[in-house]
């Protein structure tokens, strides 16, 4: 459940809202549960279009972790006054690479291309040897942020 931020003397938020979930290997049903938790986290603090992009991107990263690795994943998201950061940790050191799929690829292979195109920032952080990696993205989390696709 998202945690409400505590307010400082100036009324500003001191803490970020956070969620954290463990997803078992091959539990694709959990992807929807993670997406729902992120939606709740963002519901009153972000623009609708930002929340929709975040849901799409978290779906892609969690699905990739479950489909392309043989263990589960740890998913976390934090939202402060200006940024949403989502991290998906898996236990495989192999770095994902975006590639442009051909027309014959069906719906596969577009996840990281979407992340690359839609996130304000993203990356892959290697963990200690044998511990896997974290694939992450960030979006502007301000409710009043201008929409990149046109006027608000």
């Amino acid at each position: 459940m998202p945690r409400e931020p505590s307010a400082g003397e100036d009324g500003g938020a001191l803490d970020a809202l956070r969620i954290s979930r463990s997803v078992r290997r091959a539990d694709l049903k959990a992807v929807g549960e993670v997406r729902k938790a992120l939606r709740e986290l963002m519901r009153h603090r972000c623009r609708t279009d930002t929340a929709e992009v975040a849901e799409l991107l978290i779906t892609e990263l969690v699905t990739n972790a479950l489909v392309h690795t043989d263990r589960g994943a740890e998913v976390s998201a934090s939202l402060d006054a200006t940024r949403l950061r989502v991290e998906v940790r898996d236990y495989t050191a192999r770095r994902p690479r975006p590639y442009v799929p051909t027309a014959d690829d069906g719906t596969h292979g577009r996840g990281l291309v979407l992340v690359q195109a839609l996130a304000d920032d993203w990356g892959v952080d290697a963990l200690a040897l044998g511990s896997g990696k974290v694939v992450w993205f960030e979006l502007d989390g301000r409710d009043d942020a201008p929409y990149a696709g046109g006027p608000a």
Side-chain angles (χ1 to χ4, degrees):
M1 197 71 183
R3 187 168 47 88
E4 287 299 322
S6 58
E9 290 179 17
D10 64 355
L14 295 177
D15 297 331
L17 297 174
R18 300 181 194 282
I19 59 170
S20 181
R21 300 286 188 274
S22 292
V23 181
R24 291 187 319 261
R25 178 180 165 258
D27 184 7
L28 294 177
K29 180 182 79 165
V31 175
E33 295 165 4
V34 168
R35 190 173 49 243
K36 181 179 177 184
L38 182 66
R39 183 180 316 124
E40 281 299 310
L41 177 79
M42 300 180 72
R43 182 180 5 181
H44 299 294
R45 299 259 318 260
C46 295
R47 294 172 50 96
T48 301
D49 53 338
T50 301
E52 290 171 354
V53 167
E55 286 184 52
L56 172 65
L57 300 185
I58 199 171
T59 299
E60 295 298 335
L61 293 188
V62 173
T63 301
N64 281 352
L66 296 179
V67 169
H68 298 293
T69 68
D70 58 357
R71 292 181 58 189
E74 302 296 324
V75 181
S76 64
S78 61
L79 176 64
D80 65 21
T82 61
R83 300 296 280 176
L84 169 72
R85 181 177 176 99
V86 172
E87 298 180 347
V88 178
R89 176 191 184 204
D90 65 47
Y91 300 92
T92 302
R94 185 179 64 248
R95 294 177 64 88
R97 291 179 305 191
Y99 89 107
V100 179
T102 66
D104 296 338
D105 285 341
T107 60
H108 299 289
R110 291 169 174 79
L112 285 180
V113 172
L114 288 171
V115 173
Q116 192 173 38
L118 297 174
D120 292 325
D121 198 10
W122 80 281
V124 181
D125 297 334
L127 300 175
L129 189 59
S131 298
K133 65 182 172 297
V134 174
V135 182
W136 57 270
F137 70 85
E138 292 183 346
L139 294 172
D140 189 323
R142 295 175 294 175
D143 190 32
D144 61 348
Y147 174 51

